[in-house]
Structure formats: C-alpha cells, structure tokens
C-alpha cells in the first residue's frame, strides 16, 4: 500500500527526529500504512495534530542503574521508561530486561502498546520500559540488587493513577516481586495497583501468568472459526519457550491441537507426537535451562540448530519469541507448506515483508497488538481487583479474558470490513484502535 501523501511528511519527520531507531520507525510505518484509508475517508483526523502528537511520547525517562555483582564489582546498566499516551488511562505496559534494549526498542513497544491497550476496551494508556540488563546467568541476588536499583529511580515516575509497569521479556514474577518490594519500601505505601503481574499471594491476579499465551490461542481460534474450523486436530508451531510460548502451548493442547515445535536462542525442538508440556516447564520455568535439554530425556524428539522453526510444516503458526523473528523467506515457506493461520504472540515478530507476503496469500494474519492483548488486558483486570481490594477466581478471570479476546477479534474483523478490507486484521486493529485514541485526543484538547 502506498502511504497517503498527507501522511508522508509526518512519517519523514518521525524518522528524522528519531534517527537510528529502526524498530520504532517500523512500528509507526505499519500503523501509517493502515491510516491511509482513514485520512482518505475522514480527513478531520489530520486536524488537531493528532497523528503528530501520537508519534511523540508524552514523556521519556532514561536513567543510570548501578548495582554490585556477586564478585563485588560495580555494574552500570541503562534504564528506560517511555510514557507514550495517557489519553485513555494511566500509562500501562511492561518492562523488558534484555541486552538488545535501547531507546528505539522501548519506543516501538510503547507505541504499539497505545493501540493494543485501546483494543482491550479497558481504561489503560500506553507505555513501556526496561533495561539493557541481561538476567541470563545472573544469580537471584544479582537480579534482586539490579531490580532494587532500577526501582530506586523508577519509583518517582510511577503510581496506580500515573503509570503501571508489568513484565515483558526477562521480567516475570521474580522480578516483579523485587520491584514491588523496593517500591513499597521507598514509598512506605502498599500500593498494589502500581505494578501488575504480582504473585497471587500478594495482590496478583489469577490467569495473569497464562494470559498472553492463552489470549493468543483464543484469538487464533476465532480466526479459524471464520473459516468454520477449530484448533482440534491442528498441527501448531510456537516459536519461543518463555512465558507467552508456554501458555500458548498449554491452551492449544487443551483445545485439541498437537503442538509440534518450540524454540529458544539455541535452536528449536520438534516432537511429532506433540510437545510434553510438563517436561518443557521443568526445563524452562524451574531450572531456567536450554531447550536442547528436552531431547536428552528420551522419546522421538530432535533438536535443530540450523534453518528456522518456520520450516516445520504446520496449520497454525504462533510466533511468540521476539521482534522480527519471522522474515519473508519464513513467510513464503509457511505459505507453501499450507499454513492457514498466523497469530503473533510476541510484539512485532513478523517483518513488514513477511506481513506483505501473508497479505497476498490465503493465510489469515493477526498482528500482536490484537492477538497478544490478553496479557495487558488481564493486567487491567488485576488493577480492577486491586482497586476494589478483591480477588477473583481462576474461572471468572479466564471467562473475562476469553470474552475480551472475542471482542477484540470482532472489533478488528468488523473494522476491516467497514474500511473495505475484509480479513485484514492488521488494518482492522490499527484503524479501530486509532479511531478510539484519536477521538479521545480531540475531546481532551491539545495536551
Ligand atoms: N508486556 C506485555 C505486553 O507486551 C504486558 C504488559 C502489561 O501487562 O502491562 O503487552
């Protein structure tokens, strides 16, 4: 799709003033591609500087995170929090701890989060943060000292009505615990609603751990339903083996699918009989080990270190690892192997070229901002429970998650239809969330 000439100068300016931030440019460009149809039909959205304002975060915080490792040496990392948009609610979005984190990654994630959070229909704005700290190979004590130092600066910028961080890659229950402990200590407040992804025993929500992966599978199931199909009997490939991947595998299996492959940075494992989830969880969640250990425990599985996990023929592909992990070549392989559904569990795992390839094929493709919104939606449910000092049952919370995902699917499908592109979930997700955010921005004035 060619960019509307009225959007072109705005995009050029975004690239110029955010030089070198390739992932941020990519996320903006994907949304702008979809907005061409909006400004064509409803040019009033070009007034009020709505689009220019949306591309400029409300606030960007960068800070030093010094800490002492187990050898007594001082380490220095960089911390980030980009508070992108608070027009629909407090900034909301995770923290990522990974060596690849720099401002461009945090901004792409924060920008995506605005639209994802709007799609949930819940009152949450968009933000994201993190650090280039690598938790891999670090002791619990080192992770704790890092988290305490990180929160010593971050605490002054967040709050239950201001900005509510959570987890993302490298930040799970352990890290949220250390972060919450330090926030509580510094502020002398038991402010449960300041962070989500907390433990069940101290203010967390049932289903939050499972929510992103479960939600992605619910979404994929809705996509299949548009073709009169379901997950039962389908061959599914899930990339990654972190929190999102593990619970996508669990839900897909519960719905009758055979999940035959998953991966980590050392390669991928194929088990034609269907992955043994308990074995995977023991390796990944309990021991924080490598996926190659899976094959060492008997059975017919194999560990592959060359090629791509997307070479494995499947009916449904769920990329749940990280950004730009599925390129054009992988997309063409999936298409040629007869894959029918691709739903993103990670944030922006498919490259623009891959998305274009799916667009010209019979594959139904759902972008992460729709398909992985179950995680942040359940964070918003955690905030609701914290605000009312309540805690809901697993069944009730999962029912809420399932109906939120059905709602997002319907919204994307209907918007795509309305704007003349039936089955285009990228357009449906971008346009319907943009309209909601833009209308609120117009209503609240130039701020
Ligand atoms: N990091 C997750 C995401 O990408 C969850 C954010 C949250 O729960 O605030 O949406």
């Amino acid at each position: 799709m060619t960019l509307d000439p009225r959007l072109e100068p705005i995009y050029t300016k975004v690239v110029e003033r955010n030089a070198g931030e390739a992932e941020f440019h990519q996320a903006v460009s994907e949304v702008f591609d979809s907005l061409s149809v909006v400004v064509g039909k409803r040019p009033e959205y070009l007034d009020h500087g709505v689009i220019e304002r949306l591309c400029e975060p409300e606030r960007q915080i960068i800070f030093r995170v010094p800490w002492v490792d187990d050898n007594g040496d001082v380490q220095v990392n960089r911390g980030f929090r980009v508070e992108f948009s608070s027009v629909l609610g407090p900034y909301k979005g995770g923290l990522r701890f990974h060596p690849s984190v720099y401002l461009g990654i945090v901004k792409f994630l924060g920008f995506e989060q605005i639209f994802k959070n709007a799609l949930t229909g819940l009152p949450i704005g968009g933000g994201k943060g993190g650090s280039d700290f690598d938790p891999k190979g670090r002791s619990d004590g080192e992770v704790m000292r890092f988290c305490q130092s990180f929160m010593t600066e971050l605490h002054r910028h967040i709050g239950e009505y201001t900005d509510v961080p959570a987890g993302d890659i490298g930040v799970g229950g352990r890290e949220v615990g250390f972060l919450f402990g330090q926030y509580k200590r510094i502020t002398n407040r038991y402010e449960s609603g300041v962070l989500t992804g907390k433990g069940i025993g101290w203010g967390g929500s049932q289903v939050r751990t499972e929510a992103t992966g479960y939600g992605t599978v619910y979404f994929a199931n809705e996509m299949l339903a548009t073709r009169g199909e379901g997950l039962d009997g389908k061959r599914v490939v899930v990339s990654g083996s972190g929190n999102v991947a593990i619970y996508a595998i669990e839900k897909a299996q519960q719905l009758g699918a055979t999940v035959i492959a998953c991966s980590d940075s050392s390669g991928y494992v194929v088990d034609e009989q269907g992955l043994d989830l308990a074995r995977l969880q023991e390796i990944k969640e309990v021991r924080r080990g490598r996926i190659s250990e899976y094959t060492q425990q008997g059975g017919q599985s194999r560990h592959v270190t060359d090629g791509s996990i997307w070479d494995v023929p499947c009916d449904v592909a769920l990329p749940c690892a990280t950004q730009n992990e599925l390129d054009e070549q992988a997309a063409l392989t999936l298409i040629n192997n007869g894959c029918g559904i691709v739903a993103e569990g990670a944030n922006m795992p498919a490259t623009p070229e891959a998305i274009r390839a799916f667009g010209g094929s019979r594959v139904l493709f759902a972008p992460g901002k729709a398909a992985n919104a179950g995680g942040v939606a359940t964070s918003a449910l955690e905030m609701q429970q914290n605000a009312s000092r309540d805690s809901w049952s697993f069944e009730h919370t999962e029912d809420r998650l399932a109906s939120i995902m059905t709602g997002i699917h319907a919204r994307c499908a209907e918007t795509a239809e309305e704007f003349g592109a039936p089955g285009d979930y990228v357009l449906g997700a971008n346009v319907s969330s943009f309209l909601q955010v833009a209308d609120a921005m117009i209503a609240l004035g130039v701020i």
Side-chain angles (χ1 to χ4, degrees), residues 92-112:
K92 182 83 197 86
L95 298 170
R96 175 176 293 192
F97 292 169
H98 191 272
S100 64
V101 168
Y102 76 107
L103 190 57
I105 293 272
V106 183
K107 273 157 77 175
F108 117 64
L109 291 163
F111 185 74
E112 291 264 303

Side-chain angles (χ1 to χ4, degrees), residues 6 38-39 41-50 439 442:
R6 288 164 292 187
V38 178
V39 298
K41 270 192 166 181
R42 305 192 195 159
E44 64 273 19
Y45 285 109
L46 285 164
D47 303 337
H48 310 277
V50 166
D439 286 339
I442 294 168

Side-chain angles (χ1 to χ4, degrees), residues 429-444:
N430 286 334
V431 171
S432 96
S433 56
F434 169 79
L435 292 176
Q436 187 182 346
V437 174
D439 286 339
M441 288 176 75
I442 294 168
L444 269 61

Side-chain angles (χ1 to χ4, degrees), residues 126-150:
K128 203 85 184 192
S131 173
D132 56 2
F133 171 71
D134 187 359
K136 211 181 280 171
R138 292 293 180 188
S139 68
D140 285 352
E142 290 179 314
V143 171
M144 180 181 76
R145 289 193 296 281
F146 173 81
C147 289
Q148 289 176 338
S149 179
F150 187 87

Side-chain angles (χ1 to χ4, degrees), residues 81 92-96 109 113 116-117 124 127-128 164-169 196-197 208 212 345-347 372-380 383:
R81 187 72 184 165
K92 182 83 197 86
L95 298 170
R96 175 176 293 192
L109 291 163
Q113 203 82 44
K116 183 196 306 197
N117 294 4
I124 40 178
K128 203 85 184 192
V164 183
D168 194 82
I169 294 173
T196 62
R208 177 63 192 87
T212 312
N347 291 313
N372 75 31
V376 75
T378 308
S379 278
M383 291 162 72

